[in-house]
Amino acid sequence: MSGTTVAKPLPRRASRGGSRRRKRTVEQIIFTTLNTTFLLALAALMIYPLLNTLAISLNDGNDAVRGGIGIWPRVFSLQNYNVVFNMTTIYQAFVMSVLKTVVVVATNLLFTSMLAYALSRKEFIFRRSITLIFVLTMYFDAGLIPNYLLIRDLGMLNSFQAYWVPTIISAFNLIVLRTYMKSIPDEIIESARTDGAGEFRMWWQIVMPLCKPALAVVGLFVAVASWNSWLDTLLYNSGDQALSTLQYELQKLLASSMNAGMNSVAATGSAQSGGQVTTPIALRSTITVVAAVPILFVYPFLQKHFVSGLVIGSVKG
């Protein structure tokens, strides 16, 4: 009985594309290495000022005047934070800042989204002209004095309304939300209209849930601007201590420290604030950290919506 002959597989020839594949792999490795190095260097440039500010705030004030502090305190001290938190008005001002930020964000998102929805509908014949009017306000501003006279004539000086009424609608945020809403398929709106939903119900129950990424981005913008603002308190509500905000109180502390300690700083390098010794440079870093920490805690909750909402709301349409 003859044995079965098994055909041997032919040796594979090296494909001409093998070298190309190897070449592409090398290019990918080089690109990844350079890209990672560049991003790490860019991240270091962004993180270093934050760490340096934190290190100066935790360093002894007199020692900080010498300079040369990197990302770690040279002489650790909590004296600067004691000066800030020993202010009698800081806690009341903190509560007012939180209340102001919450109200400003809520009213801005509410009214801006309502107007953005109207301007995003094709059946609204005045959408182009109204959009043009709001865009013009981004390039032409009346100025500080007319704004103050307007608030005064409206009777909103030394009142909480001076914080949120002028910020009800923002032209930039309006454009972002309008563009995002235009990207929503018309079939969804038409289906809801066929089912008998009115315009208000379509805006609140259909459009608003679909705009969560854009709303998160706009809300973060408004929250940061409102939290960091102190000029509105100085102009409109400086006559009522109960309406004072955290940023305004910290600004007054820094100004008083620099003014009162101008002569003593020249002689000894230190300034007297609240009965305790500090220096303007250390106090400035401490104020920066205290004012930035609340926003840093809010940002992680909105980060997942930040990139998608900003890109879609700025590009589509």
Side-chain angles (χ1 to χ4, degrees):
M1 184 177 181
S2 60
T4 303
T5 304
V6 179
K8 297 181 179 180
L10 296 176
R12 295 182 179 179
R13 295 182 179 180
S15 60
R16 295 181 180 179
S19 60
R20 294 182 179 178
R21 285 196 296 269
R22 287 193 298 270
K23 185 177 181 180
R24 284 198 298 268
T25 302
V26 173
E27 291 176 351
Q28 291 176 357
I29 294 176
I30 295 176
F31 173 79
T32 302
T33 303
L34 294 178
N35 188 41
T36 303
T37 303
F38 172 76
L39 292 178
L40 288 177
L42 184 62
L45 291 176
M46 300 297 178
I47 295 176
Y48 177 79
L50 300 178
L51 297 179
N52 177 254
T53 302
L54 181 61
I56 294 176
S57 67
L58 292 173
N59 197 84
D60 180 72
N62 293 328
D63 181 76
V65 177
R66 296 166 47 197
I69 299 177
I71 62 175
W72 194 259
R74 188 166 50 220
V75 181
F76 182 81
S77 175
L78 295 176
Q79 185 66 30
N80 302 315
Y81 288 93
N82 290 334
V83 172
V84 173
F85 288 110
N86 281 336
M87 296 174 56
T88 57
T89 58
I90 188 171
Y91 298 103
Q92 180 183 356
F94 176 81
V95 174
M96 178 55 61
S97 292
V98 173
L99 179 61
K100 167 194 170 186
T101 302
V102 171
V103 173
V104 168
V105 171
T107 54
N108 187 276
L109 290 181
L110 179 65
F111 290 99
T112 303
S113 62
M114 291 178 64
L115 181 58
Y117 170 73
L119 297 180
S120 66
R121 296 296 92 209
K122 297 179 181 179
E123 57 269 20
F124 183 49
I125 59 176
F126 298 109
R127 66 184 188 278
R128 296 185 182 275
S129 57
I130 295 179
T131 301
L132 178 61
I133 293 175
F134 277 94
V135 170
L136 290 177
T137 62
M138 300 174 61
Y139 298 95
F140 303 98
D141 189 8
L144 188 62
I145 297 178
N147 288 331
Y148 174 81
L149 295 178
L150 176 62
I151 297 298
R152 185 197 64 180
D153 294 340
L154 292 175
M156 292 191 299
L157 291 181
N158 295 322
S159 67
F160 189 77
Q161 288 77 6
Y163 286 139
W164 64 272
V165 171
T167 62
I168 285 180
I169 295 179
S170 169
F172 177 79
N173 298 337
L174 175 65
I175 299 301
V176 173
L177 291 179
R178 180 191 67 93
T179 307
Y180 193 98
M181 291 179 181
K182 288 176 64 176
S183 66
I184 299 176
D186 293 334
E187 290 77 7
I188 299 178
I189 304 298
E190 294 300 329
S191 176
R193 184 176 286 112
T194 303
D195 293 338
E199 296 296 337
F200 183 84
R201 186 174 182 180
M202 287 188 294
W203 161 73
W204 181 253
Q205 294 187 352
I206 297 177
V207 176
M208 291 292 281
L210 295 175
C211 293
K212 286 182 180 179
L215 292 174
V217 173
V218 171
L220 182 62
F221 286 162
V222 176
V224 172
S226 176
W227 181 264
N228 291 332
S229 177
W230 61 272
L231 188 60
D232 51 355
T233 306
L234 174 64
L235 294 176
Y236 309 136
N237 293 328
S238 58
D240 190 349
Q241 181 61 40
L243 296 173
S244 184
T245 57
L246 177 64
Q247 297 287 351
Y248 181 61
E249 292 298 322
L250 295 178
Q251 177 67 21
K252 289 196 302 182
L253 174 63
L254 180 60
S256 62
S257 174
M258 296 182 67
N259 293 333
M262 188 174 299
N263 296 330
S264 60
V265 167
T268 63
S270 61
Q272 199 77 11
S273 178
Q276 301 181 23
V277 177
T278 184
T279 55
I281 183 174
L283 189 60
R284 182 169 61 247
S285 300
T286 307
I287 289 174
T288 302
V289 173
V290 171
V293 165
I295 293 297
L296 293 179
F297 278 107
V298 172
Y299 180 78
F301 297 99
L302 303 176
Q303 184 180 8
K304 62 180 180 179
H305 301 296
F306 188 81
V307 175
S308 61
L310 183 60
V311 172
I312 294 177
S314 302
V315 176
K316 285 192 176 182

